[in-house]
Amino acid sequence: MSDFFKGIEPVRYQGPDSTDPLAFRFYDPDREVLGKRMEDQLRMAVCYWHSFCWPGGDPFGGQTFDRPWFGDAMKDAKLKADVAFELFDLLGAPFFTFHDRDIAPEGDSLAESNRNVREIADYFASKMETSKTRLLWGTANLFSNKRYMAGAATNPDPDVFAYAAGQVKNCLEVTKDLGGANYVLWGGREGYETLLNTDIKRELDQLGRFLSLVVEHKHKIGFDGTILIEPKPQEPTRHQYDFDVSAVFAFLQRYGLEKEVKVNIEVGHAVLAGHSFEDEICAAQAYGIFGSVDANRNDYQSGWDTDQFPNNVPELALAIYYILKGGGFATGGFNFDAKLRRQSLDPVDLVHGHAGGMDICARALLAAAAMLEDGSLASFVDDRYAGWETPEAKAMLSGKRSLADIAERVEREGLDPKPRSGRQEFLENLVNRFV
């Protein structure tokens, strides 16, 4: 045990009237919501990288956080793990997530790096014997080291492709060994800065083969979790190939992977792509590739990915409404891909950030569940499309009518359809009753 969180008590549910700043007012893990425990509906996770690795820097200034585990030795990695599991236990967090480079230092060779990751994974496993916290997903960091500056799978150097494959193989196996529910690939360097030195088709083919290799190895080792891609339009590259959910789906179809891979949708990445969070959730559900989400928010003034903790109940409630309407999570969950502000220096700030985010998600879940149980919003949408349930409309969609058949019916019946109000303002007011 470390003494990093010394004097801080576990965060407990105390109810909506509590004024304790370190209490859950809405997150009651055992409360039943739509037939499931609240904890099981939300499946919330603490991410390793922002919480325990980020030094508090920005493009104009360096490190502001002074953490006792900052260092490149294995003893530092084990102290970091001690502190991480202390935070998980303080929060009662059901899950955590990590990159391989978050948990263990990089060695002088891939073999040494992989051994370091496995050693810390074994240390995790021993801690998980006495902790409730499980692994939501693992992933390999294929973007920080300068070898990946021109991409990992999409790199013009085949040796970089091979190195990345060796790194992913190890991390995927570690994720399986720790009982991970998913494995994520984020293509932060899988894109381009300029077309002047880029062959897009070649790079997409490389990326398609790389992902196929991951899927093949998943089946070979018997990993039952879900493979997820996390879309993002840009940053750090000018353009990423996994721009948004629709781009990912087109890519998966092109390489025959749409039945094997789903998406992990981040709020901030959706905003950068010009979408809302719920836009991307609904698109993924329509394509049948919805998997998991990263819960955070952007500063809408800044125009970049600020990774702040979620604190907007109305926005999150609508997103959770669509998640629940689509059947909820299977293997996915809410991962707090969020970091403290660089002026938030104290250990208790980590607890405040996560406890507040968990409470916001719980409050939004309750609002979303109330909207579903009320049924007014869903009923309006069903009524709006009711015409498509008629025999003639079904015949048009099923292939029983040709273009000529449809045109002939319009003339024969003298069809002259009139516009109908979409009643957006009414619906916005309806949602506001619950949030």
Side-chain angles (χ1 to χ4, degrees), residues 80-365:
K80 188 194 305 183
D82 292 339
V83 173
F85 274 84
E86 286 167 19
L87 179 62
F88 304 159
D89 292 344
L90 284 173
L91 296 167
F95 293 100
F96 74 109
T97 58
F98 68 81
H99 298 87
D100 54 357
R101 291 296 171 262
D102 305 332
I103 67 173
E106 188 160 7
D108 293 331
S109 66
L110 178 62
E112 182 182 355
S113 297
N114 287 348
R115 283 196 300 272
N116 290 345
V117 170
R118 286 190 171 276
E119 182 176 338
I120 296 301
D122 290 342
Y123 196 59
F124 283 171
S126 67
K127 289 187 167 294
M128 291 166 73
E129 291 177 1
T130 56
S131 173
K132 68 174 283 183
T133 307
R134 305 294 94 184
L135 179 61
L136 186 65
W137 49 259
T139 185
N141 180 330
L142 304 180
F143 50 87
S144 292
N145 191 291
K146 64 182 179 181
R147 76 173 60 90
Y148 296 128
M149 67 180 184
T154 59
N155 200 287
D157 183 346
D159 287 346
V160 175
F161 180 105
Y163 195 103
Q167 193 175 332
V168 169
K169 172 184 178 292
N170 185 68
C171 194
L172 178 59
E173 291 171 355
V174 163
T175 299
K176 173 186 178 293
D177 292 344
L178 288 172
N182 309 272
Y183 184 83
V184 170
L185 296 109
W186 176 64
R189 303 286 181 188
E190 313 297 4
Y192 54 83
E193 305 294 342
T194 175
L195 288 173
L196 298 176
N197 62 8
T198 302
D199 183 335
I200 290 180
K201 184 180 183 305
R202 178 186 291 275
E203 292 196 359
L204 286 172
D205 286 345
Q206 291 174 206
L207 188 57
R209 181 57 190 145
F210 192 94
L211 186 55
S212 295
L213 287 167
V214 174
V215 169
E216 290 165 10
H217 195 65
K218 165 197 164 169
H219 292 302
K220 179 180 179 181
I221 65 176
F223 177 53
D224 293 329
T226 305
I227 303 296
L228 302 170
I229 288 181
E230 183 173 323
K232 189 178 183 183
Q234 77 269 346
E235 194 190 75
T237 57
R238 181 173 71 85
H239 176 84
Q240 283 183 212
Y241 294 128
D242 55 2
F243 190 95
D244 61 8
V245 167
S246 293
V248 169
F249 183 62
F251 170 82
L252 295 176
Q253 283 190 310
R254 170 72 182 269
Y255 296 100
L257 295 166
E258 69 274 17
K259 303 296 184 185
E260 294 281 1
V261 179
K262 298 184 185 297
V263 287
N264 180 58
I265 301 166
E266 180 179 312
V267 180
H269 297 178
V271 171
L272 286 179
H275 308 303
S276 71
F277 188 29
E278 61 266 26
D279 286 340
E280 289 285 79
I281 289 168
C282 290
Q285 289 175 332
Y287 297 137
I289 58 170
F290 176 75
S292 193
V293 300
D294 277 1
N296 60 18
R297 63 187 168 93
N298 281 2
D299 184 318
Y300 294 136
Q301 272 186 300
S302 299
W304 66 81
D305 194 14
T306 54
D307 287 330
Q308 294 168 250
F309 282 94
N311 73 349
N312 189 317
V313 172
E315 287 187 358
L316 199 54
L318 203 53
I320 293 178
Y321 170 83
Y322 288 113
I323 291 172
L324 295 175
K325 193 169 183 293
F329 293 115
T331 61
F334 273 94
N335 173 51
F336 288 113
D337 191 352
K339 60 190 177 188
L340 297 177
R341 299 304 88 191
R342 67 194 301 263
Q343 297 179 52
S344 298
L345 304 177
D346 298 335
V348 73
D349 294 325
L350 272 171
V351 184
H352 280 301
H354 287 92
M358 293 169 77
D359 228 22
I360 289 292
C361 287
R363 191 173 183 181
L365 172 67

Side-chain angles (χ1 to χ4, degrees), residues 37-81:
R37 295 171 63 248
M38 182 177 281
E39 180 178 280
D40 297 332
Q41 287 283 19
L42 293 171
R43 294 171 59 85
M44 293 185 283
V46 177
C47 86
Y48 219 85
W49 53 101
H50 285 324
S51 299
F52 310 110
C53 303
W54 186 57
D58 67 17
F60 299 93
Q63 177 176 331
T64 61
F65 297 160
D66 184 16
R67 306 303 197 205
W69 57 85
F70 282 177
D72 294 326
M74 289 297 285
K75 64 179 179 60
D76 300 314
K78 289 182 178 179
L79 175 59
K80 188 194 305 183

Side-chain angles (χ1 to χ4, degrees), residues 15-47:
D17 297 328
S18 175
T19 58
D20 184 344
L22 285 179
F24 293 128
R25 297 172 61 238
F26 298 94
Y27 181 58
D28 180 1
D30 293 321
R31 177 173 176 176
E32 187 171 298
V33 181
L34 299 180
K36 283 186 180 180
R37 295 171 63 248
M38 182 177 281
E39 180 178 280
D40 297 332
Q41 287 283 19
L42 293 171
R43 294 171 59 85
M44 293 185 283
V46 177
C47 86

